[in-house]
Amino acid sequence: MGQRRKARECALLILFQREFRVEPLEQLCAQFWAEHPVPDEGRHYAEALVRGVAERGEIIDAAIQGVAEHWAFERLALVDRNILRLAAYELLFCEDIPPKVAINEAIELAKAYGGEESGRFVNGLLDALRSRPRPAAGEARTP
């Protein structure tokens, strides 16, 4: 498994834990790394993803809600919601990540951690998100 794929997996697990715990993000990450050691490159990328999702959460969640027709955001499965957040962060704010890579990686996470239909669901929403105008011009990546 590549370092970035492992980093995305770790970021997903940290974000999932964040749904249930109230510790500061730094403490949550430190506890995670103590239990799941990862090489520095993967750890740094995972933490950048987690911080990015946390810092831009409102923009990301609004973008996802904008493409999740007929789905109330709070009713999305927690795993799917956090996979979508990670991929949306990469799609909207990471100029060095090709959209196709962000989507494919999210689909793989959905297949591994989500339900039976999660891969298709995540693919559909992220494909719709990719084709929409980006929020907060100037902050999000340029097309």
Side-chain angles (χ1 to χ4, degrees):
M1 177 181 308
Q3 285 299 315
R4 287 229 166 157
R5 178 167 286 184
K6 181 66 176 170
R8 288 180 182 96
E9 181 180 345
C10 291
L12 172 63
L13 297 174
I14 292 168
L15 288 172
F16 189 80
Q17 285 184 0
R18 188 170 173 247
E19 296 280 349
F20 302 100
R21 297 174 61 186
V22 296
E23 292 95 338
L25 197 53
E26 295 77 26
Q27 185 178 349
L28 193 60
C29 287
Q31 290 171 350
F32 181 85
W33 300 128
E35 296 172 14
H36 306 90
V38 171
D40 285 348
E41 179 185 344
R43 191 184 68 209
H44 292 306
Y45 190 65
E47 287 184 10
L49 289 173
V50 170
R51 275 193 308 277
V53 169
E55 291 169 2
R56 294 183 169 98
E58 288 182 27
I59 294 168
I60 292 167
D61 288 357
I64 295 167
Q65 183 62 57
V67 295
E69 297 174 10
H70 311 295
W71 289 92
F73 185 76
E74 55 279 345
R75 302 232 19 217
L76 297 177
L78 288 178
V79 170
D80 293 349
R81 187 183 324 162
N82 284 295
I83 292 168
L84 290 166
R85 285 172 170 156
L86 281 173
Y89 173 74
E90 286 186 321
L91 283 171
L92 299 172
F93 301 103
C94 297
E95 293 184 21
D96 62 325
I97 306 297
K100 185 175 181 173
V101 170
I103 293 171
N104 286 340
E105 291 291 324
I107 293 167
E108 292 304 314
L109 284 172
K111 288 177 181 178
Y113 290 95
E116 189 174 315
E117 298 295 319
S118 291
R120 253 191 306 250
F121 178 71
V122 164
N123 183 29
L125 289 185
L126 293 176
D127 192 49
L129 181 61
R130 174 177 51 179
S131 66
R132 288 216 172 168
R134 289 166 169 67
E139 282 189 33
R141 72 189 253 155
T142 54

